[in-house]
Amino acid sequence: MRRSLALTSAVCLLAVAGCTTGSADSDGPAETVEELTEQGLTGLALLHRGFEGGDPEVDQALVFHDPETGQPVHRIALPEGAVDPMAPDLPVHSQFSEDWQYFVYAATEPSAIHIATLTDPEDAPAAEEETEEAAAISYQPVDAISASPEEVLSQPVVHGERLWFVSDNTQDGQPPQVMSVPLDAPGGTPNQEGTLALGENQRPSDWALTPDGSLHIRNSVPTTQLNGAAGESLVVRQTDGSVVNATLNVGGTQWQTFGGGLVWGEGTAVLGPDPALPEQAQAGAYLVAVDGQSHTATRLLENSDGPVLQYAPAPERDAVLLQTEQNWFRVDLEEGEVTGTTELFPRFHDASMGGYPLVVRWAQEAPEDADASPGDEASPTS
């Protein structure tokens, strides 16, 4: 395994305070949403809870890091308390539109789904005191879907031009419903997309959207078992060709899809050690690919410092960034085969319970028409 850029990145991580809401080039930071959109938001996007050692509930920010050095390049503040400050494995990648113009989040008191957009500093609510953050581009709430009496709204997901969410009437005894509305007009009557079947202890099923927007309700999808020539077995749940849930048993160790991880698509999934079996945890991860009744299982980072905790595939799926307890790595792929592995930079720290920011996306280039519509992003939930 090559160790590239490690010393440089260690120095860069000390410069977190130097990131801006705009470009790091000689033209200086963007001062308006229009300028920022023209420049494009690219890099490894991570959601920090407690940015720069701040309060994990108050100081939440979307930070774009250079995917080679780890240097933070852009920082955009989120509404206070938009993301649970301590919960692990949150599917935050599904809460942002492809063009980054929209960010959606759920509130509990009162229950509601809020829609926030990138906002120029002069259009944001006045801060109590003048700070660098107050003079920067931020996400500000502009619309909301309010719950009716006895209703709880949760799990907002942006996909294409629609906002998906869960509606649960706590008094009617019926399973929760998955609903959707137009992202730019959320006040209308929502479409009822599916019912979350109840499982053990009456817990509603997990759900996800595939990259093409198909709804996957875990408890309603049958499993398929695929056995390998080396004695390994893979159990998967698929919707429209996308592996959403998977468990691999190999060499006496169990690996499974990540809670909160995005759906890779095209019959492929990244698996990590089963968190319920910490005594079995091994280094790295597996990349599995299903083709009909056969499958392949490729080990990633077998000689790294520990299990993979989260990942971000490249848009073209020709590479993937993976985080362990200590470092970020890049694995290059060609037709599912590993062609190169590079250790990049130390993992980042924040004030959340897990101690590190949550992966949102690896954005390599801006959408061709950022003003046309929010784009696609697969929903997470395994």
Side-chain angles (χ1 to χ4, degrees):
M1 182 182 300
R2 289 185 294 119
R3 219 189 135 75
S4 69
L5 305 175
L7 293 178
T8 302
S9 60
V11 174
C12 289
L13 295 179
L14 298 177
V16 145
C19 68
T20 71
T21 54
S23 170
D25 62 22
S26 58
D27 294 333
E31 297 182 354
T32 67
V33 172
E34 183 178 3
E35 291 177 1
L36 189 62
T37 301
E38 289 177 355
Q39 292 174 358
L41 288 165
T42 60
L44 173 60
L46 302 176
L47 195 155
H48 292 247
R49 295 172 290 177
F51 185 70
E52 294 182 331
D55 186 296
E57 184 170 12
V58 175
D59 300 307
Q60 299 182 355
L62 177 66
V63 181
F64 292 81
H65 298 265
D66 185 298
E68 294 185 350
T69 66
Q71 173 69 29
V73 180
H74 312 284
R75 180 186 63 182
I76 304 172
L78 303 179
E80 183 176 320
V83 180
D84 188 312
M86 292 298 169
D89 302 329
L90 295 176
V92 293
H93 63 83
S94 64
Q95 295 178 238
F96 294 85
S97 62
E98 185 70 16
D99 60 7
W100 304 108
Q101 297 295 315
Y102 291 87
F103 166 64
V104 297
Y105 60 100
T108 57
E109 296 181 1
S111 181
I113 302 295
H114 292 277
I115 300 96
T117 61
L118 287 176
T119 303
D120 290 332
E122 62 267 25
D123 296 328
E128 294 182 1
E129 57 182 85
E130 188 66 25
T131 64
E132 180 181 347
E133 289 78 9
I137 298 167
S138 62
Y139 283 104
Q140 296 293 333
V142 296
D143 211 338
I145 302 170
S146 298
S148 60
E150 314 301 339
E151 182 185 26
V152 176
L153 304 180
S154 63
Q155 301 181 53
V157 169
V158 176
H159 190 283
E161 298 181 351
R162 299 192 70 80
L163 166 60
W164 296 61
F165 59 94
V166 172
S167 168
D168 184 13
N169 187 317
T170 59
Q171 299 299 314
D172 66 3
Q174 299 300 311
Q177 303 292 315
V178 179
M179 318 291 280
S180 79
V181 294
L183 184 57
D184 59 358
T189 301
N191 291 352
Q192 182 175 323
E193 304 289 355
T195 299
L196 298 183
L198 300 179
E200 186 177 357
N201 298 321
Q202 297 298 294
R203 181 182 181 273
S205 175
D206 292 333
W207 65 285
L209 296 180
T210 66
D212 66 1
S214 298
L215 176 61
H216 172 96
I217 298 176
R218 178 175 181 148
N219 291 358
S220 301
V221 177
T223 61
T224 301
Q225 180 168 330
L226 307 171
N227 297 319
E232 78 277 8
S233 67
L234 177 68
V235 178
V236 299
R237 298 177 194 259
Q238 300 182 78
T239 293
D240 289 347
S242 289
V243 173
V244 183
N245 313 111
T247 299
L248 174 70
N249 286 283
V250 55
T253 303
Q254 185 164 293
W255 305 74
Q256 65 180 33
T257 39
F258 288 78
L262 64 80
V263 179
W264 185 290
E266 299 178 352
T268 301
V270 179
L271 311 185
D274 186 343
L277 301 171
E279 70 279 1
Q280 293 187 6
Q282 297 184 17
Y286 269 95
L287 183 72
V288 298
V290 175
D291 183 9
Q293 294 301 308
S294 64
H295 75 279
T296 59
T298 304
R299 189 71 175 270
L300 307 177
L301 304 183
E302 184 174 5
N303 299 316
S304 65
D305 55 80
V308 167
L309 301 179
Q310 55 181 354
Y311 63 94
E316 298 300 321
R317 304 307 195 246
D318 56 357
V320 59
L321 303 179
L322 305 113
Q323 182 206 318
T324 65
E325 284 283 3
Q326 301 296 327
N327 299 291
W328 275 94
F329 298 82
R330 172 176 174 144
V331 174
D332 290 293
L333 304 167
E334 184 174 348
E335 297 183 355
E337 297 292 329
V338 174
T339 59
T341 299
T342 305
E343 182 177 336
L344 296 173
F345 42 80
R347 63 100 159 173
F348 305 98
H349 297 263
D350 68 6
S352 65
M353 186 69 73
Y356 54 85
L358 299 170
V359 69
V360 178
R361 192 185 309 152
W362 181 8
Q364 291 184 321
E365 59 184 19
E368 293 182 2
D369 185 1
D371 295 327
S373 67
D376 283 341
E377 179 60 40
S379 167
T381 316
S382 57

